[in-house]
Amino acid sequence: MKIKRIGNIPTDEDLKLYLNQRIIPVRFCYLNEGGNKWHELRQDKTYELGERELKTFSDGLTNIKDVIGVLPINLVHLGPGDGIETSILFDKFKTKSNGMYVGVDISEEMIYSTLRLNKSYFSDANSLWYLTDIESEGNLELVCKDVKKKGVNRNLIILSNEGTLLSNSDVFRYLRNSMNKEDYLFLTLEGDDPKKREEIYSTYKLLKTQNLLAIGLRTAGYITRKRNFRVCFNEIESRVEVYFKPKDEQEVLCLASYKPRKDEFRNRLINSGFHIEFLKF
């Protein structure tokens, strides 16, 4: 199994540039040991967001099958993580006669975890694997072009509950630039409900969530034995934010997760150049 690297992967030196802005993007947590911490979090029964995500993912795939039709299509799976969505995806789309399965992640460890936990699904599937940073302009576009050279000429880009990725508003543009008229984007996302903010916050207050965030903080040189995290909602940016307070320093933003309301989400898609075929909120 070969993993093709496209573009530059963030380094510790890149992290220093963000620190000047008091930010540690969450993708710096996944580069090394973060894959194991993410797997631990997804297996935690108190991680209720994970269960909601899987149900939304499964229901959504069922709903879009009629939209994309029966012609062969490549499944370009962005951020497969520990592969927990793989069985659902393969149940809905049979890749053997339906183009390629394409796993795209920023973490090599996460890719190997997906393969290790889903051996039976990949044993007879046509699959491609890419290591890249989706938040760097042009990388996803290169991936999607390369996929079409090796698979069929239609891509279904799959992005499941990646609120942290979409908190970078540029990613919507990168997604659109990676698509031609024959391609589709399937995107699921947890939205905002002001009446359920505490329920939404609970995911980000879990110890295992903080263990994941601590990886990026330690890389930046912070001691995280005292878990000085604060969770809030940024109304202007429509996102949950998690801050860490180092001793004698200003807070550091270490996680942002996009949680839009329906009209805001629809407008962002349209303004990014998408034509909406199906939207359920």
Side-chain angles (χ1 to χ4, degrees):
M1 191 278 298
K2 181 180 179 181
I3 300 174
K4 183 170 183 177
R5 182 171 179 147
I6 288 186
N8 294 322
I9 304 299
T11 65
D12 293 352
E13 289 300 313
D14 296 317
L15 179 56
K16 293 177 183 177
L17 298 176
Y18 285 102
L19 269 177
N20 294 334
Q21 306 170 56
R22 310 305 295 165
I23 297 171
I24 299 178
V26 73
R27 66 188 190 277
F28 284 91
C29 301
Y30 295 117
L31 300 180
N32 297 305
E33 59 181 300
N36 291 330
K37 297 300 183 185
W38 174 245
H39 181 61
E40 290 174 9
L41 177 61
R42 288 303 297 256
Q43 300 302 312
D44 191 332
K45 297 300 182 184
T46 61
Y47 182 59
E48 296 180 355
L49 175 59
E51 293 303 313
R52 296 196 297 270
E53 289 174 345
L54 285 179
K55 185 178 186 309
T56 301
F57 184 68
S58 178
D59 292 347
L61 287 175
T62 299
N63 289 328
I64 68 161
K65 289 190 76 171
D66 289 338
V67 174
I68 65 173
V70 297
L71 293 176
I73 198 164
N74 305 307
L75 308 177
V76 183
H77 194 180
L78 306 185
D82 61 354
I84 200 167
E85 299 160 352
T86 303
S87 61
I88 300 171
L89 182 57
F90 276 46
D91 180 58
K92 305 294 184 182
F93 294 91
K94 310 301 181 184
T95 59
K96 198 168 185 181
S97 58
N98 195 37
M100 311 287 291
Y101 171 85
V102 183
V104 184
D105 211 294
I106 196 172
S107 167
E108 195 169 29
E109 180 186 348
M110 300 279 250
I111 291 174
Y112 283 120
S113 180
T114 299
L115 284 162
R116 184 173 63 254
L117 296 170
N118 296 276
K119 289 180 180 178
S120 61
Y121 292 101
F122 292 115
S123 60
D124 62 348
N126 297 318
S127 59
L128 298 169
W129 301 92
Y130 294 88
L131 186 70
T132 195
D133 178 15
I134 299 167
E135 291 188 61
S136 293
E137 186 168 10
N139 284 354
L140 183 58
E141 193 171 351
L142 291 173
V143 168
C144 289
K145 286 179 179 177
D146 196 58
V147 168
K148 289 186 178 182
K149 292 177 183 177
K150 297 168 181 174
V152 297
N153 198 43
R154 288 204 313 159
N155 289 337
L156 170 61
I157 299 175
I158 299 162
L159 190 62
S160 175
N161 290 286
E162 290 282 356
T164 53
L165 180 63
L166 294 175
S167 66
N168 179 350
S169 59
D170 288 336
V171 171
F172 284 89
R173 178 165 52 86
Y174 302 161
L175 287 165
R176 183 65 189 88
N177 290 344
S178 302
M179 299 170 62
N180 296 324
K181 61 181 180 180
E182 67 273 6
D183 300 323
Y184 288 88
L185 170 67
F186 170 64
L187 187 158
T188 63
L189 192 67
E190 181 175 64
D192 177 36
D193 184 342
K195 296 179 181 178
K196 296 184 177 181
R197 288 275 172 84
E198 287 305 316
E199 181 182 336
I200 294 172
Y201 291 166
S202 65
T203 292
Y204 304 96
K205 293 179 179 180
L206 290 173
L207 179 59
K208 288 180 180 176
T209 302
Q210 295 178 4
N211 287 341
L212 176 63
L213 298 178
I215 295 171
L217 289 163
R218 286 198 300 272
T219 302
Y222 292 113
I223 298 172
T224 58
R225 284 193 295 270
K226 291 183 178 180
R227 297 307 172 93
N228 299 326
F229 291 96
R230 178 175 67 89
V231 183
C232 62
F233 196 88
N234 185 324
E235 300 284 355
I236 296 174
E237 300 293 339
S238 299
R239 66 189 196 184
V240 171
E241 295 180 343
V242 181
Y243 290 86
F244 176 76
K245 178 65 173 70
K247 185 178 180 181
D248 301 325
E249 291 186 32
Q250 291 181 339
E251 287 184 316
V252 178
L253 176 63
C254 53
L255 183 147
S257 184
Y258 183 51
K259 308 278 184 190
R261 298 187 191 181
K262 185 175 182 178
D263 288 344
E264 198 277 336
F265 186 50
R266 181 190 295 275
N267 289 338
R268 181 165 292 193
L269 288 170
I270 292 172
N271 291 339
S272 300
F274 289 100
H275 172 71
I276 301 172
E277 295 271 357
F278 177 85
L279 176 62
K280 183 177 180 180
F281 212 85

